Structures are given as C-alpha cells and as structure tokens.
Amino acid sequence: MSASNQPEGVGGGPLVDGPHDPEHDPRASYVLERDFVATLTGRVLATTGKTVTLVSPLDGAPLATIPQSSADDVAEAYRRARVAQAAWARTSMAERSAVMLRLHDLLMERMPDLLDMITLENGKARKHAYDEVVHTALTARYYARTSAKHMATERRGGVIPVATRIDINHVPKGVVGIISPWNYPLTMALSDGLPALMAGNAVVAKPDAQTMLTALMGVKLMDEAGFPKDLWQVVAGPGRELGTPMIDRSDYICFTGSTATGKLIAKQCAERLIGASLELGGKNPLLVLRDADVEKAAEGAVRASFSNAGQLCVSAERIFVADQVYDRFVERFVARTQAMTLGASLDWEVDMGPLISADQLETVNAHVDDAVEKGARVLTGGRARPDLAPYFYEPTILEGVSPDMTCFGHETFGPVVSIYRFHDESDAVARANDGEYGLNAAIFSQDGTRARAIARQVKCGTVNINEAFGATFGSVAAPMGGMRESGMGRRQGAEGIHRYTETQSVGTQRVVRLSPQFGLSSEQYAKVQVLGLKVLNKLGRA
C-alpha cells in the first residue's frame, strides 16, 4: 500500500504512516501513525508506566502500545466520574439529546476511519465492521429521540381515587461500570453506555485489551460531540486485576462476555446488592422448516454462521433442517459457503476475515479435530489457512455431530456450524432448547404466523424470522438479551435505559388522610374502607 492510498485517521491524519526505513526509524514497525495513536491512548487513565502492545490479526503487525491502569487508577476514575455525574444529572434532556445527535452525525461522517480501525484491530471483514458502526449510530439516535419519553415521570393510580396522587420517577443510579468484549469493539464499547448517559449517569469503561483503539476512537468522537470528558472514564488492563475494583465502586455493572466470567461478576454484584446486566454465551439454533424458501434460508445461514468469522454472541452454531428440504438446503448452504471470498484486508469484497487471536484459533481447531476424530463429517472447510492470515480458519460445516463431541454443546465462537436433520417440528424445538444457553435463534419459514407461534416455544431472548440476527439486533427499540445461562437483563429499548435507573414512587395525599377521621373509630373506619373497596371492584378498578 503506497502512502497516497493509505486510510486516513480521525481529523484527516493518516492511519498508516509510511514508508519508513526500519533500520533508522522505529515507527516503521508500527502500522498506525504514532501521533494519532497518542491522541487516543491519552484518554486512558493509567499511571503504572506499563504498556501492552497490540497486534493486528490481519498480518501480526504491531499496531500500538496501550498504557495499563492500576486499581488506584480505577479509584481515581470513579472519583472523577462521580464529580462529573453530579453536574451532568442537572443538565436538561434536551441538552443531552443534542450532544447525542452530534455523536450520531460524527459516526456517519467518520465511518471510513472507523471501518479501517475495526478491521485492522479485530480482523473482521469490512462489511461486518460496517454493521457495528451503523448499530452504534442507530443506538445514539434512538436514545436521543426517545429518552425524554422513557425518563418522564409517570402517573399511576393511587389507593384513594382523586385523593391519592402517585408519581413514578426514574432516577439515575450514579456511575455505571462497563466491561466490553473484543468481538464488536465499537458498538459493545459505546452502545451500552449511551443510554446510561442519557439517564443521567457517568460511565467508567474497560474495553477489552485486544481492541482498545477502536473503543478509544469512539470515545474521541464522544468528546468531539460535546460530552464532558470526565463523564466517560477509560481504564485499561486485565479483567482479573481491574474487574473487582470496578465492581467495588460501581452503582451498576454492564458486562458482555463468557458465562463463566458473568457468573463471577454476578456473585460480586450480589455481595454489594447492586444490579448487573450480563450478555453471556450462546449455542444458538437456526431452524429451517419444511416450507422454507431454501435459497433464502441458505443465504441467511451463511450470515448467521460466518459473520465476523462466527465470533458473534448471536451467531448460529446449530442448524436443524426439516427432512423435506434437508438435501436441497445442504447443497445450497455448502455451495454458498464455498463461494465466500476469504481474506485479510480492508477491502469491501472480503466476506470473512480471520479470527482475532491464537487462542481463538486453537479453540476452533480443537473443536473440529475432536468432532472429526469421533466420526463427524466435514462438508466444507475444516482447516486453518495461515496462507491468508496467522489466525485464519475456513468457514466449516459439520454433519453427524453427536453429544460426545465437544462442539455439540460447547460454544465454539468461530466459523464452525453443525447441521442436523429433523422429522418433527416439536422435536426440532426440543433439540433447539437443549442445553443451558438461550441467547438467539432463527426460524426460516414462508408462513410467518406459524413461525412466530413456534418462536414462543424457543427459550431464547431474541428470535428472528427469515433473518439471522439483524432483525432483532438492528431494531434498537426491541430489548435484547439472554435467557438461562446466556445472561440476564436487556440492552436496547426502554429496558436498555431503565436498567440504569432507580424507580422512585412519590405519593401525595390530599383532602382525606389514610387513618380514621371525622369522628370515626378504627372499626368504623375499617368498615368504610371495606365498602369503598367493594365499590371500586364493582367499577372494575385495579
């Protein structure tokens, strides 16, 4: 790539700085322009003097060094956030919304820079990076437009009609701790925190170590949009070191990651009696019913299984196909998978990029090798492709996967999907519900009414009809989250902002008091009250 066609950074500076002579210029060993990186990493509250080097999964090249925070830095972040939150809570909803809408516009304006960074840092195909930039913008716009309604004081019926007035307030919790993952480094870093800000809270965020720069680019845009800088604090470091200090100081925790870690966080939050929303693991099913449009189902299955190389919490890892269409579906699904363009670049033409790390590659290799050794058949894929990128693994379809194989019930979180034949829809639903997870499901059928009826039987927090995951994930007014061991709490919609508030009831009593008066004895007062209750029941009052 020549200097003239290299991608540009925020504000017009080059993301890729070159060419340089490696023998005389240390910048030659880094993909990203050092001054630009400094504008991002300067946002991390870190005083340890320690750094961690980030490398690109595209080619293993170093991207930047990230300063590391300590427990003391976490304490200072919360101190600053609490000061900022007190002032922010007094700002009007109109002011908050105006800043959020400026962020929406900046996300759209700087999209090419964001896509470059996400792909360089995460490895995903550019088209999948696009999905999360759009999702972040949609989230910003939705809460900018709807938060006044969600946060408005509600009137409820009082115990004595007219005489009792009840107002329900939604009061910000204070400072929210957000621990976000690497697989969707922009939207998972920002989108959970945006409604927290609109509710009047401050945020202390710890993005995943592997994708810090993308998260920091998002925070930089928030600063440009006009959010007070101290309102959104960023710390960096291992979760095992910073997680507990964050939980100890937060008024609420939002975490996206593994079920095992989520359970530990839930226990720690319970000890402090603070709330938490946890989006955790999944072994997501996709059902192809006998009346499905096979071509559309095959296209949807490719996106469901291989978007972001399968490193997606709502990605399908199990496909159940009706007898009547099984052979045709398998033929089309395999053909579409084999037609995918694989690569490790910033180009739009790439359909799937590499895995993010050696650890992810090792997990995928182990799951596939175990399945093959125990009798599973590889219909396509089934091998690593170091010729494409250090951590590349082909999109893989397995048939004949049985319960004794690791990938049968354990989340792979890679481009591997198992396909199963079913004879009876009730059996398919039972198999889809098998296991402890319940995050996302998809159903393909030309009968929407019947598919929606089946969806009610599927134990997943989101179910998509004739779509992989985008219908629910992209509809930011719709709550999203998991059942069972896939988590608790919901992002998006009214639920996504109310989780960051305390519900406060204010009762105003007028004219009459809730005790004997007008010379009534306690017994007479009770009889009057009973008569009143009977009348209200006759009138159909709740």
Side-chain angles (χ1 to χ4, degrees), residues 429-447:
V429 171
R431 292 162 72 184
N433 288 335
D434 190 31
E436 298 303 319
Y437 292 120
L439 188 55
N440 181 64
I443 301 173
F444 282 81
S445 168
Q446 295 187 72
D447 185 341

Side-chain angles (χ1 to χ4, degrees), residues 205-244:
K206 192 196 84 64
D208 190 90
Q210 297 176 93
T211 50
M212 282 293 301
L213 295 177
T214 297
L216 290 169
M217 279 190 74
V219 174
K220 189 174 189 297
L221 294 186
M222 292 176 65
D223 293 343
E224 290 186 39
F227 286 103
K229 283 192 175 183
D230 280 351
L231 193 66
W232 188 289
Q233 297 290 321
V234 183
V235 294
R240 63 183 177 275
E241 295 178 13
L242 303 188
T244 295

Side-chain angles (χ1 to χ4, degrees), residues 55-61 121-123 210 309 311 344 352-362 364-365 383-394 415:
V55 299
S56 174
L58 296 182
D59 55 9
E121 195 174 37
N122 175 274
Q210 297 176 93
Q311 301 169 119
M352 194 187 90
L355 297 164
I356 193 169
S357 67
D359 286 344
Q360 289 301 117
L361 178 61
E362 182 180 353
V364 173
N365 262 317
R383 61 185 179 132
R385 292 289 302 276
D387 56 310
L388 296 176
Y391 315 130
F392 210 106
Y393 200 93
E394 291 180 332

Side-chain angles (χ1 to χ4, degrees), residues 153-435:
T153 296
E154 304 171 45
R155 289 286 296 275
R156 303 269 180 94
V159 60
I160 300 177
V162 182
T164 308
R165 168 177 171 159
I166 294 294
D167 295 285
I168 308 299
N169 297 325
H170 300 286
V171 181
K173 285 183 176 289
V175 180
V176 173
I178 296 180
I179 303 172
S180 59
W182 49 261
N183 61 325
Y184 274 72
L186 180 70
T187 195
M188 293 293 98
L190 264 64
S191 292
D192 280 320
L194 298 183
L197 298 185
M198 288 304 298
N201 298 283
V203 167
V204 175
K206 192 196 84 64
D208 190 90
Q210 297 176 93
T211 50
M212 282 293 301
L213 295 177
T214 297
L216 290 169
M217 279 190 74
V219 174
K220 189 174 189 297
L221 294 186
M222 292 176 65
D223 293 343
E224 290 186 39
F227 286 103
K229 283 192 175 183
D230 280 351
L231 193 66
W232 188 289
Q233 297 290 321
V234 183
V235 294
R240 63 183 177 275
E241 295 178 13
L242 303 188
T244 295
M246 289 183 68
I247 295 169
D248 286 346
R249 291 169 174 82
S250 290
D251 299 304
Y252 190 91
I253 286 287
C254 177
F255 170 77
T256 303
S258 73
T259 295
T261 302
K263 287 181 176 180
L264 293 175
I265 290 174
K267 289 178 182 178
Q268 290 180 277
C269 289
E271 285 292 325
R272 292 198 57 234
L273 295 179
I274 64 170
S277 54
L278 311 168
E279 191 203 280
L280 308 177
K283 193 70 180 176
N284 305 304
L286 185 153
L287 280 66
V288 181
L289 306 186
R290 62 180 179 272
D291 65 341
D293 182 315
V294 170
E295 198 63 38
K296 289 182 180 178
E299 185 273 336
V302 168
R303 285 186 294 107
S305 306
F306 306 127
S307 291
N308 195 23
Q311 301 169 119
L312 174 59
C313 296
V314 293
S315 179
E317 294 199 7
R318 300 178 296 153
I319 300 179
F320 302 94
V321 185
D323 259 339
Q324 294 88 337
V325 296
Y326 184 87
D327 293 334
R328 284 189 293 136
F329 173 82
V330 169
E331 186 272 326
R332 295 308 303 145
F333 183 35
V334 170
R336 280 184 169 273
T337 301
Q338 292 175 340
M340 293 174 67
T341 300
L342 310 181
S345 77
L346 304 181
D347 296 336
W348 281 99
E349 290 72 23
V350 172
D351 292 320
M352 194 187 90
L355 297 164
I356 193 169
S357 67
D359 286 344
Q360 289 301 117
L361 178 61
E362 182 180 353
T363 297
V364 173
N365 262 317
H367 280 207
V368 175
D369 290 349
D370 171 77
V372 171
E373 287 171 7
K374 294 174 180 175
R377 296 174 296 282
V378 176
L379 301 184
T380 189
R383 61 185 179 132
R385 292 289 302 276
D387 56 310
L388 296 176
Y391 315 130
F392 210 106
Y393 200 93
E394 291 180 332
T396 300
I397 304 171
L398 300 177
E399 191 178 49
V401 171
S402 56
D404 61 323
M405 302 173 188
T406 304
C407 70
F408 180 85
H410 291 81
E411 185 178 31
T412 303
F413 216 64
V416 179
V417 65
S418 305
I419 189 166
Y420 308 86
R421 184 191 299 266
F422 72 81
H423 309 284
D424 179 79
E425 285 179 358
S426 61
D427 173 61
V429 171
R431 292 162 72 184
N433 288 335
D434 190 31

Side-chain angles (χ1 to χ4, degrees), residues 17-234:
D17 182 31
H20 293 284
D21 182 352
E23 187 175 349
H24 300 103
D25 192 337
R27 290 179 297 171
S29 63
Y30 284 86
V31 175
L32 301 178
E33 200 276 321
R34 303 293 291 277
D35 292 339
F36 173 68
V37 169
T39 68
L40 303 180
T41 57
R43 200 60 169 75
V44 180
L45 204 166
T47 61
T48 64
K50 299 177 182 178
T51 61
V52 169
T53 300
L54 297 185
V55 299
S56 174
L58 296 182
D59 55 9
L63 295 175
T65 57
I66 305 297
Q68 299 296 284
S69 307
S70 66
D72 288 342
D73 293 324
V74 171
E76 175 62 15
Y78 277 85
R79 187 196 67 76
R80 295 182 187 181
R82 290 203 181 278
V83 173
Q85 189 271 331
W88 178 250
R90 295 191 294 268
T91 63
S92 69
M93 193 61 71
E95 291 177 78
R96 299 178 203 172
S97 296
V99 178
M100 193 69 75
L101 289 174
R102 286 198 292 272
L103 174 63
H104 170 278
D105 291 345
L106 284 169
L107 287 164
M108 296 291 93
E109 178 185 329
R110 308 290 173 78
M111 183 179 288
D113 299 334
L114 290 165
L115 298 183
D116 288 341
M117 183 63 84
I118 293 169
T119 303
L120 283 169
E121 195 174 37
N122 175 274
K124 67 176 62 179
R126 194 176 188 84
K127 63 180 64 177
H128 302 146
Y130 168 83
D131 291 344
E132 63 172 306
V133 178
V134 169
H135 182 262
T136 309
L138 288 173
T139 302
R141 191 179 71 202
Y142 171 79
Y143 285 109
R145 301 294 190 193
T146 63
S147 289
K149 177 182 69 175
H150 295 322
M151 293 292 291
T153 296
E154 304 171 45
R155 289 286 296 275
R156 303 269 180 94
V159 60
I160 300 177
V162 182
T164 308
R165 168 177 171 159
I166 294 294
D167 295 285
I168 308 299
N169 297 325
H170 300 286
V171 181
K173 285 183 176 289
V175 180
V176 173
I178 296 180
I179 303 172
S180 59
W182 49 261
N183 61 325
Y184 274 72
L186 180 70
T187 195
M188 293 293 98
L190 264 64
S191 292
D192 280 320
L194 298 183
L197 298 185
M198 288 304 298
N201 298 283
V203 167
V204 175
K206 192 196 84 64
D208 190 90
Q210 297 176 93
T211 50
M212 282 293 301
L213 295 177
T214 297
L216 290 169
M217 279 190 74
V219 174
K220 189 174 189 297
L221 294 186
M222 292 176 65
D223 293 343
E224 290 186 39
F227 286 103
K229 283 192 175 183
D230 280 351
L231 193 66
W232 188 289
Q233 297 290 321
V234 183

